[in-house]
Amino acid sequence: SDIGAQKNRVVTEEEWLQKWETHNIGFHKEQGHPLLQKYLDVLLSGRSGLRIFFPLCGKAVDMKWLADMGHHVVGVEVSEQALKEFFVERSLPYSEEPVPGIPGAKKLQSTSGNISLYCCSIYDLSSSIVGKFDGFWDRGALVAVNPCDRQRYASLLITLMEENSSYLLVTASYDPNKHKGPPFYVPESEIKSLFG
C-alpha cells in the first residue's frame, strides 16, 4: 500500500470524543467550505429539495447553509457535544428523540424539520433508518476513517445512495510517512477502488 506507516493506525471513538471535549477541533471550519461553494452546481445538478448526507458531520456550518436553500440535511456524528453546539451556535431550536433500532443513539432534529443529526457510530446507520440520499458532502469523513475501515465505510455509503447521487469528496495530498494522520492520506487509486 502507498499509505505508508498509516496503514495500521487506529483512532478510537474515545479519542474523537476527547477532541471535542477539549476543543482540539482544528478540523472544524467556522466559515462555509469554499470547495462546496465552488462545486455546489455539481452536487445539485440543477435539482432542488435534495436529501443531502453529511457523514461524520461535526458541527459543520454548511449544513444550515444547504438547509436554508431548501434541502433536507442529514448528518451523523459520535459527539453529542458537537451536534448540540451546531444547533446552539446557529440559534436553531431542536428536539431530541431516541433512534429505534440503535441502542443509546439519539436523533437531534431542527424544529423546522429540515436538519436531522444522528448521534451514533456511522456504522450503526442503514438506509432503513436514514433513507437514501441525492447528495453527499464528504469534507472530512473519508480522511478521518481509520484506513482499516475504509472499505466498510464506502460500502455503507454506497447503500445510502440514490441512483443519481452526487458525491463531493475532499481529501488531502501529502507524504503519509511524514504525518501519522488524521487526516489520513487516501490515494486517488484507492478512492476509485472504493467508489468506482
Side-chain angles (χ1 to χ4, degrees):
S1 171
D2 53 355
I3 61 171
Q6 293 182 356
K7 185 172 190 272
N8 298 314
R9 173 115 160 88
V10 172
V11 181
T12 65
E13 190 172 295
E14 288 71 29
E15 287 175 90
W16 284 112
L17 292 171
Q18 183 70 28
K19 287 178 184 292
W20 283 101
E21 287 167 19
T22 60
H23 291 282
N24 180 15
I25 53 172
F27 48 83
H28 172 70
K29 303 293 179 228
E30 292 295 338
Q31 303 298 320
H33 199 287
L35 289 174
L36 177 58
Q37 294 165 11
K38 180 176 180 179
Y39 293 103
L40 183 63
D41 292 344
V42 174
L43 181 66
L44 302 181
S45 300
R47 302 169 294 168
S48 58
L50 301 186
R51 294 191 82 238
I52 300 175
F53 188 59
F54 278 66
L56 314 187
C57 62
K59 57 179 184 176
V61 300
D62 301 302
M63 294 188 291
K64 182 175 186 309
W65 183 63
L66 287 168
D68 286 347
M69 283 183 212
H71 304 291
H72 185 84
V73 170
V74 176
V76 63
E77 170 61 51
V78 295
S79 171
E80 185 175 352
Q81 176 181 336
L83 299 180
K84 288 184 173 180
E85 286 178 11
F86 168 80
F87 287 109
V88 170
E89 290 171 6
R90 300 212 157 48
S91 302
L92 287 173
Y94 68 97
S95 61
E96 282 182 44
E97 61 186 58
V99 180
I102 308 177
K106 293 181 182 176
K107 178 170 85 170
L108 286 67
Q109 185 162 3
S110 62
T111 306
S112 59
N114 60 351
I115 301 174
S116 302
L117 306 181
Y118 289 80
C119 184
C120 60
S121 165
I122 190 168
Y123 303 114
D124 290 334
L125 294 182
S126 65
S127 59
S128 64
I129 294 171
V130 295
K132 293 196 174 210
F133 299 95
D134 308 298
F136 294 75
W137 171 237
D138 185 336
R139 196 280 290 175
L142 181 62
V143 297
V145 167
N146 292 319
C148 61
D149 292 326
R150 283 184 193 150
Q151 184 62 60
R152 180 182 182 198
Y153 171 82
S155 297
L156 169 65
L157 291 187
I158 288 167
T159 69
L160 301 179
M161 290 181 179
E162 287 288 7
E163 200 168 307
N164 296 317
S165 288
S166 299
Y167 195 103
L168 288 186
L169 171 66
V170 178
T171 62
S173 281
Y174 62 85
D175 180 345
N177 293 302
K178 294 182 177 169
H179 177 67
K180 65 181 184 171
F184 294 113
Y185 172 65
V186 187
E188 190 170 346
S189 59
E190 188 170 359
I191 294 168
K192 287 180 176 166
S193 73
L194 289 171
F195 291 103

